[in-house]
């Protein structure tokens, strides 16, 4: 049967969820069969959710999804004849008004605005070279004791340990720094990092002359200063049907200032003749670290596959309603977020049985996207059924005692991870001199 893999996967999820698994499983089915909802609690009105509306919140409060067990369940589904390609990044869940939510932090975007909420780090498998599918293997909150780079390195370490095959992991320019390179030094994975255009790297030092300490750094390579560019190790021009004529340059033997022991291949991708009108592309700078480097004409195209993770973030927020519930508990928010990878993988297995049925205002698709598969999922669910057990009536709850008033929820301050350095003034310098004297 064509849906056997989906049924087996859903049964594996159900057996692994543990406490409150029936309510949690029906909550996932309600998400997959609801194309739009006015509020989170309206998921309880779905025909596939056979419990009371309060069971939605009770399920997130009582459930204990085993993260390691679910990760192993997802990793064993990774099947590829080539080197597995992973993509990592982090996204923000804005909660500016949730003063009773623990561990909210500040978050700044590229536009300069500051938000308050919680950030989540994701490591996903990209199964297709061209498409919008990203299948998360780890999707976890970045605590106040972690940074995006430390969390990403820890997730990559856990996944590669279970994967068994050395993968190629791509990250955006927020991870193209010495801290992330050092944190991933002992991990059995190749890295493809995007570099900021104003980044500097250093070459291999010259021959030791026998006096003083040996040099750790050689030529300084400023990416935004062509006068500092050394002679390229390799240069080629390729014709890409989607992008246009592309010039790719590679320099070998460079490193970050704080990680001189990890040599990198620096790659510059420039679009000479773009396809289409009025299209402009800024040069793309990449760094590769690993054992056996793929062909240069294919390596830069590998990085473009990373953008499938950006599509998944948008899909999770808009269609899987990841950031819609206003949960007052950090643990409940984490348990709700743990369901996002499970929902996505179910759509991936269901795609083989889907027949494209676009709405009147939609165009047809040769390769079905996650959203298009979600449109057909109610029919698939009606075919395969659910392993969740129906609810058992237990009588009416006594409710709260008369006159009982619950205490007010505690308020928590927003955590500021990195304190900004105050500018030195004449008064501060005078006080510092007096203290030193």
């Amino acid at each position: 049967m064509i849906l056997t893999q989906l049924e087996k996967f859903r049964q594996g999820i159900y057996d692994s969820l543990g406490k409150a698994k029936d309510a949690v499983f029906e909550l996932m089915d309600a998400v997959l069969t609801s194309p739009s909802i006015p509020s989170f609690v309206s998921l309880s009105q779905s025909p596939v959710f056979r419990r009371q509306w309060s069971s939605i919140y009770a399920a997130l409060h009582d459930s204990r999804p085993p993260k390691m067990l679910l990760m192993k369940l997802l990793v064993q589904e990774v099947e590829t004849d080539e080197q597995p390609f992973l993509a990592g990044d982090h996204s923000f869940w804005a909660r500016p008004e949730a003063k009773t939510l623990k561990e909210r932090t500040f978050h700044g975007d590229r536009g300069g605005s500051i938000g308050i909420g919680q950030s989540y780090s994701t490591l996903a498998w990209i199964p297709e070279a061209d498409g919008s599918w990203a299948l998360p293997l780890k999707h976890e909150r970045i605590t106040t004791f972690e940074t995006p780079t430390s969390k990403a390195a820890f997730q990559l370490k856990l996944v590669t340990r279970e994967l068994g095959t050395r993968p190629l992991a791509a990250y955006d320019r927020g991870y193209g720094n010495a801290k992330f390179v050092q944190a991933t030094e002992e991990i059995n994975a190749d890295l493809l990092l995007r570099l900021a255009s104003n980044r500097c790297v250093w070459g291999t030092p010259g021959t030791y002359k026998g006096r003083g300490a040996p040099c750790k750094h050689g030529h300084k390579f400023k990416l935004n200063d062509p006068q500092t560019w050394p002679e390229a190790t390799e240069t080629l021009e390729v014709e890409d049907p989607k992008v246009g004529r592309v010039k790719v340059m590679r320099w070998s033997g460079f490193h970050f200032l704080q990680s001189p022991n990890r040599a990198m291949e620096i790659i510059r991708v420039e679009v000479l003749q773009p396809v289409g009108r009025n299209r402009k592309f800024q040069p793309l700078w990449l760094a590769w670290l690993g054992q056996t480097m793929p062909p240069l004409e294919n390596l830069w195209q590998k990085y473009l596959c990373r953008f499938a993770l950006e599509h998944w973030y948008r899909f999770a927020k808009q269609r899987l309603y990841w950031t819609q519930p206003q949960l007052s508990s950090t643990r409940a928010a984490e348990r709700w977020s743990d369901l996002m990878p499970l929902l996505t993988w179910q759509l991936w297995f269901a795609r083989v049985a889907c027949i494209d049925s676009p709405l009147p205002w939609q165009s047809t698709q040769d390769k079905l996207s996650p959203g298009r598969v979600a449109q057909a999922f109610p029919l698939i669910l009606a075919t395969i059924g659910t392993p969740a057990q129906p609810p058992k009536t237990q009588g009416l709850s006594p409710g709260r005692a008369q006159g009982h008033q619950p205490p007010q929820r505690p308020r928590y301050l927003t955590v500021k991870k990195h304190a900004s350095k105050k500018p030195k003034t004449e008064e501060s310098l005078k006080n510092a001199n007096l203290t030193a004297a």
Side-chain angles (χ1 to χ4, degrees):
M1 185 178 180
I2 196 171
L3 293 173
T4 302
Q5 191 175 12
L6 174 61
E7 292 182 280
K8 181 180 177 182
F9 181 75
R10 283 168 58 85
Q11 186 65 47
I13 295 175
Y14 179 76
D15 296 337
S16 304
L17 285 177
K19 192 176 182 180
K21 60 182 179 181
D22 294 311
V24 172
F25 203 89
E26 290 190 355
L27 175 60
M28 289 194 296
D29 286 346
V31 172
L32 293 175
T33 56
S34 301
S36 63
I37 57 173
S39 62
F40 178 66
V41 72
S42 62
L43 289 172
S44 63
Q45 302 302 306
S46 173
V48 299
F49 194 84
R50 297 171 290 181
R51 288 158 171 80
Q52 299 294 327
W53 67 268
S54 57
S55 296
I56 288 183
Y57 298 96
L60 298 179
H61 181 270
D62 297 335
S63 64
R64 302 291 187 274
K67 295 184 178 182
M68 287 299 299
L69 183 60
L70 292 176
M71 183 202 70
K72 293 179 181 180
L73 178 65
L74 299 179
V75 170
Q76 71 182 10
E77 299 293 343
V78 176
E79 297 179 358
T80 177
D81 297 332
E82 301 178 352
Q83 184 182 25
F85 182 70
L86 308 179
D89 206 344
H90 64 280
S91 186
F92 185 63
W93 185 348
R95 298 298 304 276
E97 303 297 334
K99 297 182 179 180
T100 62
L101 187 65
K102 283 185 177 181
E103 298 192 13
R104 292 185 308 158
T105 59
F106 293 97
H107 176 81
D109 58 13
R110 297 177 182 176
S113 60
I114 302 297
I116 298 176
Q118 296 175 336
S119 295
Y120 281 75
S121 179
T122 310
L123 182 62
W125 171 48
I126 310 300
E128 298 176 337
D130 54 341
S132 56
W133 285 95
L135 304 177
L137 303 174
K138 295 286 288 184
H139 180 61
E140 299 172 307
R141 184 175 67 89
I142 304 174
T143 66
T144 55
F145 302 99
E146 298 171 317
T147 63
T149 54
S150 65
K151 189 67 174 182
F154 182 69
Q155 290 179 329
L156 183 60
K157 180 179 180 180
L158 294 179
V159 170
T160 53
R161 184 184 300 171
E162 298 294 333
L163 196 57
T165 306
R166 185 180 179 91
L168 173 62
Y171 291 87
D172 204 0
R173 62 182 179 181
Y175 302 87
N177 51 59
K179 290 184 178 180
F180 186 68
V181 169
Q182 289 176 333
T184 56
E185 185 174 2
E186 302 297 331
I187 299 177
N188 186 29
D190 297 338
L191 298 180
L192 185 59
L193 312 176
R194 184 178 180 180
L195 303 180
S197 59
N198 60 350
R199 178 74 63 181
C200 296
V201 292
W202 278 259
T204 305
T207 306
Y208 179 56
K209 298 181 180 180
R211 298 182 61 183
C215 294
K216 296 182 180 179
H217 316 291
H219 174 70
K220 185 177 182 180
F221 184 4
K222 295 183 179 180
L223 304 187
N224 59 357
D225 188 0
Q227 295 182 357
T228 64
W229 296 359
E231 184 178 355
T233 307
E234 182 181 1
T235 303
L236 58 88
E237 294 186 7
V238 295
E239 194 74 30
D240 187 87
K242 295 182 179 180
V243 180
R245 188 158 188 81
V246 179
K247 180 180 180 181
V248 187
M249 305 174 66
R250 176 175 67 91
W251 294 269
S252 300
F254 285 86
H255 60 264
F256 291 120
L257 184 64
Q258 297 177 351
S259 58
N261 296 328
R262 297 205 69 186
M264 304 181 299
E265 302 287 329
I266 306 300
I267 301 168
R268 183 178 186 268
V269 182
E270 180 184 5
V271 180
L272 301 178
Q273 297 178 356
V275 175
R277 299 180 178 179
N278 300 325
R279 298 186 67 185
K280 296 182 180 179
F281 297 91
Q282 295 295 328
L284 177 67
W285 289 94
L286 302 173
W288 182 87
L289 301 88
Q291 293 181 350
T292 304
M293 183 176 174
L296 189 60
E297 59 270 17
N298 299 331
L299 186 60
W300 68 275
Q301 294 178 337
K302 276 284 187 181
Y303 181 82
L304 299 183
C305 300
R306 193 206 68 85
F307 290 100
L309 184 56
E310 306 289 348
H311 301 322
W312 181 81
Y313 277 132
R314 183 179 65 253
F315 177 74
K317 293 179 180 181
Q318 295 180 356
R319 177 57 184 85
L320 301 183
Y321 318 118
W322 171 36
T323 58
Q324 184 156 352
Q326 303 298 310
L327 302 171
S328 59
S329 169
T330 298
R331 291 185 178 180
E334 290 179 348
R335 292 161 187 165
W336 168 245
S337 301
D338 290 339
L339 304 181
M340 298 299 112
L342 306 180
L343 295 169
T344 309
W345 276 86
Q346 290 186 61
L347 295 176
W348 169 254
F349 291 129
R351 80 193 190 286
V352 296
C354 286
I355 300 176
D356 189 22
S357 300
L359 297 174
W361 53 87
Q362 294 177 334
S363 58
T364 58
Q365 293 182 354
D366 296 331
K367 291 186 177 181
L368 299 183
S369 63
R372 193 61 62 87
V373 177
Q375 289 181 190
F377 197 83
L379 296 177
I380 296 177
L381 184 61
T383 303
I384 63 177
T386 174
Q389 300 298 317
K392 299 178 181 179
T393 57
Q394 297 180 352
L396 297 177
S397 172
R400 294 175 180 172
Q402 187 175 4
H404 171 73
Q405 293 183 355
Q408 187 178 11
R409 294 175 181 173
R411 265 58 174 170
Y412 299 96
L413 297 176
T414 305
V415 179
K416 193 173 185 180
K417 291 187 177 182
H418 301 287
S420 59
K421 296 181 179 180
K422 296 182 179 180
K424 295 182 179 180
T425 61
E426 294 183 2
E427 184 177 357
S428 63
L429 292 174
K430 182 178 179 181
N431 294 334
N433 293 332
L434 291 175
T435 303

